[in-house]
Amino acid sequence: MTPLPLTAPAAALAGTLTGDGLPAYVYDLTALDSHVREIRDALPRHVELYYAAKANPEPPVLRALAPYVTGYEVASGGELAHVREAVPDRPLAFGGPGKTETELRRALELGVERFHVESEHELRLLSSLADRPVDVLLRVNLPLTGEALGGAALAMGGRPSPFGLDPDRVERCLPLFTPDGPLRLRGVHAHLASGLDAPAQTAVAARIADWTRALSDRHGLDLTEVNVGGGMGVDYTRPDTRFDWKAYGEGLADVADRNPGLTLRIEPGRALTAYCGWYVTEVLDLKHSRGEAFAVLRGGTHHLRTPAAKQHDHPFQVLPAADWDRDWPRPAARGEPVTLVGQLCTPKDVLARGVPVGELRAGDRVAFAMAGAYAWNISHHDFLMHPEPGFHYLGE
């Protein structure tokens, strides 16, 4: 595994964190700005870029993205209120299955610009609540080729799924859009898979756009929008690699050329913010058990659930700490594989297993990279009631 080093500002800050100041999340917003600006520049100007706020909803992160994104995708009433407050007056798209009546009412009150509707029941409920014109995208669960699904880290469509409508059920919903009704069908939303590379993502986007155009032509709908979702590949085993945004932008340009009149929209999350954050902590103890080395860290998967959720060894960098003021020898592992674990009373609290290290000692710091998405916000914070980590935003 190739480590992904901290940026210079993040490394400088990490070097000042000690004792109860750890663990801590360190976000480099200047690096995030540069990364997302490059992504926006790689995309055709007419392709809309929405940020899936579920990946990392921290307000400084949301604000840092604001100059480059067209809007934000939210997936609950809580996210809706949070994002509306953090970045007021920015377009919002409300997605996700199982929207409650209370959430739909609140979304209508707050002026959500797009509703991604997941079922006929949800469509009828939204229609009964709407007191103003409401723009709708129907989420469709399209079949995918084996090649696309085979390369996916996570599949939300192309198979039986709680997400979206089967194509025939989309057709059954069309009569619910009437000239005198409050709902206006603008297009189709389809987030089918995550973890795909640029060629596979382009193929999926083309499939969705072509299907939308055919649906529009077949029923004379004059659909104008298609949201092809997110899920751009992020490889934790190769942290120095990036999704090929240039190739994807060129592919989307071709898709748009084949489908004139359709506005393409994408909504990545992890691929925008993962690389701007680090989870920095310290080695509390270094012990050996039956010939294997274990580094016990402050914190653990209750702060950084990503490696447990994705079943991988999370990339990390050792930050040596010279000081050792104890009267006994410093526990250490040298030139051997080490398993990095947290403080929880469960053998599942593992952040990286059997990773070779040159040297790792009690008191050293460890910085886990790619912690800018699906990290703190998906973790089970209250288990065992350890203190929460600190949060630092560089370049805010």
Side-chain angles (χ1 to χ4, degrees), residues 106-194:
R106 186 59 174 150
L108 290 166
E109 292 171 1
L110 291 177
V112 165
E113 283 75 11
R114 291 291 181 276
F115 287 79
H116 299 163
V117 173
E118 301 258 354
S119 71
E120 180 179 337
H121 168 69
E122 183 183 309
L123 189 66
R124 291 182 182 276
L125 179 58
L126 179 60
S127 180
S128 72
L129 299 174
D131 55 0
R132 61 173 175 85
V134 176
D135 291 325
V136 168
L137 302 186
L138 291 177
R139 181 170 180 176
V140 60
N141 178 8
L142 292 177
L144 284 179
T145 65
E147 291 81 4
L149 282 179
L154 190 65
M156 280 71 68
R159 57 181 61 173
S161 170
F163 303 107
L165 293 141
D166 290 348
D168 63 320
R169 294 188 176 273
V170 170
E171 308 247 2
R172 295 183 205 176
C173 288
L174 298 181
L176 300 178
F177 295 91
T178 60
D180 58 345
L183 305 186
R184 301 183 296 203
L185 181 59
R186 295 302 191 193
V188 163
H189 174 277
H191 178 45
L192 302 177
S194 291

Side-chain angles (χ1 to χ4, degrees), residues 22 40 52 58 79 105 134 169 220 259 280 288 320 338:
L22 294 167
R40 181 63 267 184
E58 295 294 327
E79 278 192 351
R105 288 186 185 278
V134 176
R169 294 188 176 273
N259 295 278
V280 182
H288 288 77
V338 178

Side-chain angles (χ1 to χ4, degrees), residues 85-338:
E85 180 178 0
V87 278
D89 304 320
R90 299 304 304 271
L92 298 182
F94 187 18
K99 303 179 188 70
T100 68
E101 181 173 337
T102 299
E103 289 175 322
L104 290 173
R105 288 186 185 278
R106 186 59 174 150
L108 290 166
E109 292 171 1
L110 291 177
V112 165
E113 283 75 11
R114 291 291 181 276
F115 287 79
H116 299 163
V117 173
E118 301 258 354
S119 71
E120 180 179 337
H121 168 69
E122 183 183 309
L123 189 66
R124 291 182 182 276
L125 179 58
L126 179 60
S127 180
S128 72
L129 299 174
D131 55 0
R132 61 173 175 85
V134 176
D135 291 325
V136 168
L137 302 186
L138 291 177
R139 181 170 180 176
V140 60
N141 178 8
L142 292 177
L144 284 179
T145 65
E147 291 81 4
L149 282 179
L154 190 65
M156 280 71 68
R159 57 181 61 173
S161 170
F163 303 107
L165 293 141
D166 290 348
D168 63 320
R169 294 188 176 273
V170 170
E171 308 247 2
R172 295 183 205 176
C173 288
L174 298 181
L176 300 178
F177 295 91
T178 60
D180 58 345
L183 305 186
R184 301 183 296 203
L185 181 59
R186 295 302 191 193
V188 163
H189 174 277
H191 178 45
L192 302 177
S194 291
L196 300 178
D197 61 16
Q201 281 282 13
T202 301
V204 170
R207 169 87 173 98
I208 298 166
D210 291 347
W211 187 89
T212 302
R213 188 194 68 236
L215 175 73
S216 182
D217 292 346
R218 188 163 60 249
H219 294 279
L221 299 175
D222 193 28
L223 300 182
T224 57
E225 300 176 14
V226 57
N227 186 323
V228 300
M232 294 72 189
V234 172
D235 191 345
Y236 290 88
T237 67
R238 297 188 300 158
D240 57 333
T241 64
R242 296 288 189 277
F243 181 80
D244 192 343
W245 287 99
K246 182 176 183 296
Y248 187 50
E250 292 169 352
L252 289 179
D254 292 339
V255 173
D257 288 343
R258 293 206 315 270
N259 295 278
L262 279 182
T263 295
L264 293 182
R265 183 177 302 133
I266 64 173
E267 52 181 39
R270 189 192 309 265
L272 297 193
T273 62
Y275 305 100
C276 82
W278 290 263
Y279 177 65
V280 182
T281 186
E282 71 170 330
V283 180
L284 295 174
D285 197 359
L286 199 301
K287 56 197 293 186
H288 288 77
S289 174
R290 298 181 182 271
E292 295 186 16
F294 292 84
V296 182
L297 311 178
R298 280 188 189 251
T301 56
H302 56 301
H303 292 169
L304 180 65
R305 185 171 175 263
T306 320
K310 293 185 69 68
Q311 294 294 295
H312 67 234
D313 299 322
H314 209 85
F316 66 89
Q317 174 184 359
V318 176
L319 307 175
D323 295 340
W324 180 255
D325 58 3
R326 308 295 186 183
D327 294 333
W328 52 89
R330 188 174 187 177
R334 295 181 176 87
E336 61 183 307
V338 178

